[in-house]
Amino acid sequence: MTGLFRKYRVSYPDGTDGFKGTKERYRAGARVRFRFENVGTDTDYSFYADGKKLPALYREGRGYLIRFRMPDHDIEFRYTASSSMFNNEK
């Protein structure tokens, strides 16, 4: 299979816990769309496809919406979470 009919794999090395709507394969050019609902307070999240940072829309009560077009090759989807709290005490 070639072109737009071939499905390519998305690997999730960080896992899919907290995500809703992920799939393992998408056709080239498909609109990939899923949510990250396991949002912690005072935590900043970043989402990446093949190392490129993806825009993510946040909605209170619904979490982050991740959207991108599937390229014509297998990709790796990753995310990072870091605490946005810090201590101002001296």
Side-chain angles (χ1 to χ4, degrees), residues 8-23:
Y8 293 93
R9 187 173 188 271
V10 178
S11 64
Y12 302 92
D14 301 316
T16 57
D17 289 345
F19 287 91
K20 182 177 181 180
T22 58
K23 296 180 185 176

Side-chain angles (χ1 to χ4, degrees), residues 3-71:
L4 296 177
F5 298 108
R6 181 165 180 209
K7 287 189 176 183
Y8 293 93
R9 187 173 188 271
V10 178
S11 64
Y12 302 92
D14 301 316
T16 57
D17 289 345
F19 287 91
K20 182 177 181 180
T22 58
K23 296 180 185 176
E24 196 171 301
R25 296 189 179 278
Y26 296 88
R27 281 187 164 69
R31 291 181 182 163
V32 178
R33 178 183 168 126
F34 51 86
R35 293 195 173 282
F36 180 68
E37 298 177 329
N38 196 20
V39 178
T41 58
D42 299 319
T43 305
D44 295 323
Y45 298 91
S46 295
F47 305 94
Y48 303 88
D50 277 352
K52 181 180 174 187
K53 189 172 182 177
L54 299 170
L57 302 171
Y58 178 77
R59 274 196 160 154
E60 188 69 36
R62 298 191 75 199
Y64 288 94
L65 174 63
I66 297 102
R67 298 182 297 185
F68 60 94
R69 291 269 184 191
M70 186 65 186

